[in-house]
Structures are given as structure tokens and as C-alpha cells.
Amino acid sequence: MSLVRTTPLLLLALLAFAFAGCVSTDTGPAPLPSVVCNLSCAGETALAYGTVLELRLVDLTRADPRPAVLAERIESNPGQPPLRFRLFYNLGAINPAHDYGIEARILFKGRPQWVQSEPMPAITKGHPDEVDIVLQPAP
């Protein structure tokens, strides 16, 4: 009878001991900072197989037709809109006094199919680290 009464207590002690090792004390580096990009297309569309999504974090401080690219992500066959991707960047490359933006476009056979008119402001000067981008059909 005493074994039956001590078995639940023994089991509880074993579980407590087993889970004690599950506490993490990892002090490794934090994950890279990122911008979450929520993309949709104006109007309904089904993206064809072979479609490529390009996302870029660019420095918009200077008026330049080709701004400096700080981060880039290219996804083949990204799925169907709406799409959600995380664009990681190097925090050390960010100057708080600069303006940054996200550029996105969808290509098929190397030709733009869906584009945005202007980069979406992000990261600095009160701009968010999660952006909603609505792509328009390419002209």
C-alpha cells in the first residue's frame, strides 16, 4: 500500500527533475533585426509557376535613381497573395539620420508583373518595422 502512495510523489519528483533542465540560459547573440513585409496585389491575381519576388531595403536619403541596397531577399515561387516575408538587415549599417524604404516587385520570366510606385518608408524616424505594400500591375 505504501508503494502506491509514494508512486505519484516519486513520479512528480522525476518530472520536476526532468523539466529543470529545460530552462534556457542561452546568452548568445540576438536574432538579426528585420522588417516584416505584408504584400498584396491590387485586384485578384494568381501568380504563375516561375514567379520571382524581390524585396529590398534601400537608403532613400539621397535622391538617386539607384539607391544603396542594404538588404535583399529573392523568393522563387513565393506562393499566392497575400504574402508575408521577413527581410533581415544588419543593424550596424543603419544610420538613424537616414531615410530607408522597402522596394518590392514580382517578376515572371525576368519581366516585372507587379510593382510599387514608391518605396515604403521603414525603420527610422518613427517609421514601422512592419509594412503593408500593395503592388500594382506593371505598366
Side-chain angles (χ1 to χ4, degrees), residues 32-55:
L32 290 174
S34 63
V35 177
V36 175
C37 304
N38 300 304
L39 299 126
S40 60
C41 295
E44 291 188 34
T45 187
L47 300 180
Y49 181 79
T51 299
V52 174
L53 168 67
E54 292 181 348
L55 290 172

Side-chain angles (χ1 to χ4, degrees), residues 70-139:
L70 281 81
E72 183 173 41
R73 180 170 183 170
I74 298 174
E75 291 288 330
S76 297
N77 300 310
Q80 298 300 324
L83 302 167
R84 182 178 174 94
F85 287 96
R86 189 174 292 272
L87 182 60
F88 294 97
Y89 62 91
N90 177 357
L91 185 59
I94 300 298
N95 180 337
H98 284 207
D99 295 305
Y100 297 96
I102 301 295
E103 293 182 339
R105 66 183 187 160
I106 296 174
L107 302 105
F108 182 68
K109 295 186 178 181
R111 294 188 175 163
Q113 299 296 303
W114 294 91
V115 297
Q116 67 188 113
S117 56
E118 301 210 4
M120 181 64 65
I123 303 174
T124 57
K125 299 183 179 177
H127 293 296
D129 58 3
E130 183 166 346
V131 296
D132 296 319
I133 299 172
V134 179
L135 299 173
Q136 304 294 326

